[in-house]
């Protein structure tokens, strides 16, 4: 099978000593990021982009891109592993996809079974990671071959679908999500127009001629935004940590959780492939499904091990599944994959159907490194659970200055301008106010990354049709994508309005 041959080439890249180190440090940092409440994979990946750029500056461009993306992807799925630790020990989710783990994980910890909950979370995450990677290997080439047949009209509609999908499912308010998407698209237009050569929204400032740097905005909004939130809201009080006893699960624990892990892995993978669905949705659905199929549903919420195994497996499988649309179609399915896409573009590597032909070293090296990274995570998480739990106790007075220093030095090392440091601080404050008022940041990042590509493909399609917009409806594939994009936004709005009407009728 051709995919296995390419995967073997990928392992030859992943087994290079420096790439093994990058994968190891990626998953180690990712686990720590997941353990620290509030930081999450998006902030962690954004924060480390300038660090990886500095470390790999001595390598050739192709190797630098491969090593950097291996480390950043390690942070991404490592954070999915680590997010369960605070959910189980502190009743506080490390990131949004671990919210459901709180329900039974913390109850298990209170019953003296914290070790079993943490180990089952690690085992479920490992199995789910391997399942999603097998799916990625099998689907990567066929999807790329299909996508190569797409023209500019199909690409425009597909990217519009990706934007609508993430906007439709991010945050509590559809209006706020769409507002952030449009703001991201507006920010993407700043700079010299590549076609006409005219400056747009530059205000004759030379610093704006090349546009706003994705890295500066991402680090500012996610990393510094979180720092400002902690400082201004005085979110630094300590919480009592539950002690961890026996770590290894019993034979009964393994038997009870095996079905939940299998179902959560498959469900999470297929939900992860859908643009915009993401790990949070996957973990919720897997928990609901497990409760439905259980012979004893009343035990959920009281310390059922299936209530830990299913969502943890689902959110890790979804993180692997989300890489499929990113690598094969060039469509990030979540905020974190949008940041990963921005990092690839920064290294002149364009995700999409040509990635596997133009940059096989990057694509297959990344996939192979994720197999190794999952093994590293299992080896790290099982014996070092007690060590990682100590990270939770890191005082904010040491943690926050470290994040600020990495942000400032990292952005300056890549951009070399004071203007970008001012933008970094500005977007840190803006990110804090947006998050405080429940405006989701992921759609803005996605709009910023996809904006230039949407504009470019729209112009190419309209050039070929002499300015006739009907070109987007003439292609059946483009039409299907546009219909799905509209439905993705409209259906949640209709469901919300129906819910309000039902509440009004009940009150009346």
């Amino acid at each position: 099978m051709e995919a296995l041959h390419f995967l073997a080439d990928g392992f030859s890249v992943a087994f290079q000593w420096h790439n093994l180190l990058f994968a190891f440090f990626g998953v180690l940092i990712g686990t720590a990021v997941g353990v620290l409440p509030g930081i999450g994979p998006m902030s962690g990946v954004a924060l480390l982009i300038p660090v990886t750029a500095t470390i790999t500056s001595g390598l050739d461009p192709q190797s630098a891109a491969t090593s950097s993306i291996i480390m950043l992807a390690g942070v991404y799925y490592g954070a999915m592993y680590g997010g369960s630790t605070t959910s189980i020990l502190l009743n506080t989710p490390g990131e949004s996809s671990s919210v459901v783990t709180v329900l039974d994980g913390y109850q298990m910890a209170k019953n003296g079974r914290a070790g079993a909950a943490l180990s089952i979370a690690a085992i479920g995450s490992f199995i789910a990671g391997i399942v999603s990677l097998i799916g990625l290997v099998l689907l990567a080439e066929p999807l790329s071959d299909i996508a190569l047949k797409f023209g500019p009209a199909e690409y425009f509609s597909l990217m519009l679908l990706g934007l609508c999908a993430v906007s439709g499912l991010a945050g509590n308010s559809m209006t706020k999500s769409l507002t952030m998407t449009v703001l991201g698209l507006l920010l993407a237009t700043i700079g010299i127009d590549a076609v006409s050569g005219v400056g747009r929204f530059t205000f004759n400032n030379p610093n704006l001629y090349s546009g706003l740097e994705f890295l500066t905005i991402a680090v500012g909004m996610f990393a510094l935004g979180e720092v400002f939130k902690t400082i201004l809201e005085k979110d630094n009080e300590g919480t009592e940590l539950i002690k961890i006893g026996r770590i290894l699960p019993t034979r009964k624990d393994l038997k009870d959780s095996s079905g939940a892990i299998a179902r959560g892995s498959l469900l999470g993978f297929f939900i992860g492939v859908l643009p915009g669905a993401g790990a949070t949705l996957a973990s919720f659905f897997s928990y609901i499904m497990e409760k439905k199929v259980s012979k004893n549903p009343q035990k959920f919420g009281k310390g059922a091990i299936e209530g830990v195994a299913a969502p943890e497996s689902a959110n890790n499988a979804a993180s692997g599944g989300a890489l499929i649309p990113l690598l094969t179609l060039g469509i990030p399915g979540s905020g974190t994959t949008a940041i990963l896409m921005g990092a690839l573009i920064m290294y002149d590597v364009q995700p999409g159907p040509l990635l596997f032909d133009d940059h096989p070293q990057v694509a297959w090296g990344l996939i192979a490194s994720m197999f190794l990274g999952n093994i590293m995570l299992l080896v790290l998480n099982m014996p070092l659970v007690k060590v990682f739990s100590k990270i939770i106790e890191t005082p904010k007075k040491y943690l926050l200055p470290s994040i600020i220093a990495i942000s400032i030095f990292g952005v300056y090392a890549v951009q070399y301008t004071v203007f970008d440091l001012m933008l970094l601080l500005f977007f840190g404050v803006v990110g804090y106010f947006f998050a405080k008022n429940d405006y989701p940041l992921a759609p803005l990042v996605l709009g910023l990354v996809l904006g230039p590509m949407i504009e470019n493909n729209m112009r190419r399609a309209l050039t070929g049709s002499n300015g006739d917009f009907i070109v987007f409806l003439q292609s059946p594939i483009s039409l299907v994508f546009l219909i799905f994009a509209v439905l993705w936004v409209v259906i949640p709005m209709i469901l919300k309005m129906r819910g309000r009407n039902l509440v009004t009728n009940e009150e009346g």
Side-chain angles (χ1 to χ4, degrees):
M1 193 177 174
E2 198 177 11
L4 294 176
H5 172 70
F6 285 123
L7 185 62
D9 291 342
F11 273 110
S12 68
V13 173
F15 273 116
Q16 292 172 8
W17 70 269
H18 61 279
N19 285 335
L20 283 172
L21 276 178
F22 274 106
F24 175 75
F25 283 117
V27 298
L28 184 67
I29 294 165
T31 305
V33 162
V35 165
L36 290 167
I39 294 181
M42 275 199 286
S43 305
V45 173
L47 188 63
L48 285 170
I49 290 174
V51 177
T52 56
T54 307
I55 295 171
T56 59
S57 56
L59 300 172
D60 65 89
Q62 187 85 340
S63 298
T66 307
S67 299
S68 294
I69 207 67
I70 281 173
M71 184 171 176
L72 294 172
V75 175
Y76 175 34
Y77 56 87
M80 293 298 177
Y81 266 66
S84 60
T85 305
T86 46
S87 295
I88 292 165
L89 296 180
L90 290 181
N91 201 29
T92 307
E95 29 84 29
S96 60
S97 60
S98 295
V99 169
V100 192
T101 311
V102 166
L103 301 175
D104 285 278
Y106 187 62
Q107 293 301 319
M108 283 185 71
K110 281 170 69 178
N111 297 336
R113 304 189 63 223
L118 289 165
S119 58
I120 281 295
I123 292 166
S125 298
F126 170 75
I127 293 169
I130 298 299
V131 167
S132 68
L133 285 169
I134 292 169
L136 181 56
V137 169
L138 296 175
L139 291 177
E141 282 292 319
L143 269 177
S144 294
D145 293 340
I146 293 167
L148 281 170
K149 298 179 174 64
F150 288 5
E154 287 84 0
Y155 262 113
F156 169 80
S157 303
L158 178 64
M159 288 173 184
L160 209 60
L161 170 61
L163 271 183
C164 290
V166 172
S167 302
L169 292 169
N172 298 321
S173 167
M174 176 72 73
T175 308
K176 288 179 177 179
S177 297
L178 291 174
T179 301
M180 294 298 279
T181 304
V182 171
L183 183 58
L185 292 171
L186 285 172
L187 291 175
T189 62
I190 294 172
I192 300 292
D193 181 14
V195 176
S196 65
V198 174
R200 299 187 298 190
F201 307 112
T202 57
F203 307 103
N204 293 323
N205 185 336
N207 291 301
L208 292 174
Y209 287 166
S210 57
L212 295 179
E213 181 57 43
F214 155 81
L215 170 68
T216 307
I217 294 174
V219 174
M221 295 194 88
F222 291 106
L224 283 191
E226 195 60 44
V227 168
F228 289 140
K229 177 178 180 260
T230 306
I231 293 170
L232 295 172
E233 297 183 6
K234 296 183 172 56
D235 182 22
N236 54 6
E237 62 275 2
T239 313
E240 191 180 344
L241 196 69
I242 287 176
K243 301 296 179 191
I244 302 169
R246 174 195 166 102
I247 292 171
L248 290 175
T250 62
R251 192 172 293 179
K252 185 178 184 301
D253 289 336
L254 291 170
K255 185 183 174 184
D256 289 344
S257 57
S258 56
I261 289 170
R263 287 185 289 270
S265 300
L266 292 171
L267 181 69
F269 172 73
F270 287 112
I271 290 175
V273 172
L274 296 172
T280 306
L281 205 66
S283 62
F284 271 100
F285 278 168
S286 67
Y287 187 85
I288 292 164
M289 183 177 74
E290 215 49 47
K291 202 170 178 181
K292 292 282 185 190
V293 301
S294 175
K295 293 175 182 175
N296 191 13
Q298 63 269 20
K299 67 181 177 180
F300 282 81
K302 297 175 183 175
I305 199 161
E306 298 95 319
V308 174
E312 281 303 307
S313 302
N315 73 36
N316 278 272
S319 64
L323 289 173
I324 291 179
L326 171 68
L327 298 178
T328 60
L329 303 173
I331 299 295
S334 64
T336 313
T337 48
I339 291 171
L340 286 174
M341 184 174 179
L344 282 167
I345 292 169
M346 200 173 86
Y347 286 103
D348 293 323
V349 175
Q350 180 63 57
L354 291 172
L355 175 67
F356 289 85
D357 291 333
D358 295 348
H359 304 281
Q361 176 185 333
V362 177
W364 290 105
L366 168 63
I367 293 169
S369 76
M370 288 176 73
F371 278 101
L372 300 177
N374 270 283
I375 295 167
M376 290 175 186
L377 277 167
L378 187 66
V379 172
L380 277 172
N381 274 265
M382 291 294 282
L384 298 180
V385 158
K386 293 182 181 179
V387 176
F388 282 121
S389 69
K390 292 290 178 187
I391 295 172
I392 302 167
E393 300 171 12
T394 306
K396 293 288 196 305
K397 63 181 179 181
Y398 300 127
L399 185 65
L400 297 182
S402 306
I403 294 173
I404 294 168
I406 293 168
S407 300
I408 291 173
F409 289 126
V411 167
Y412 190 76
V414 175
Q415 295 303 117
Y416 300 112
T417 65
V418 176
F419 178 77
D420 271 272
L421 294 183
M422 292 163 65
L423 273 183
L424 175 74
L425 292 171
F426 172 74
F427 278 104
V429 175
V430 167
Y432 161 69
F433 280 109
F434 276 143
K436 182 180 173 62
N437 292 289
D438 201 29
Y439 281 86
L441 302 179
L444 185 144
V445 173
L446 202 61
L448 189 67
V449 171
L450 289 183
M453 287 179 278
I454 289 174
E455 183 183 9
N456 182 37
N457 281 292
M458 185 179 79
R459 279 178 158 178
R460 284 172 57 206
L462 291 174
T463 302
S465 68
N466 292 321
D468 190 354
F469 280 88
I470 202 74
V471 68
F472 298 110
L473 305 177
Q474 283 175 334
S475 161
I477 296 172
S478 175
L479 181 60
V480 168
F481 286 150
L482 287 174
I483 290 169
F484 273 114
V486 172
L487 290 175
W488 217 296
V489 173
V490 170
I491 288 173
M493 289 173 120
I494 293 169
L495 292 174
K496 207 164 193 176
M497 285 171 68
R498 281 185 63 188
R500 281 178 186 164
N501 290 337
L502 282 170
V503 171
T504 308
N505 291 336
E506 283 174 9
E507 287 175 353

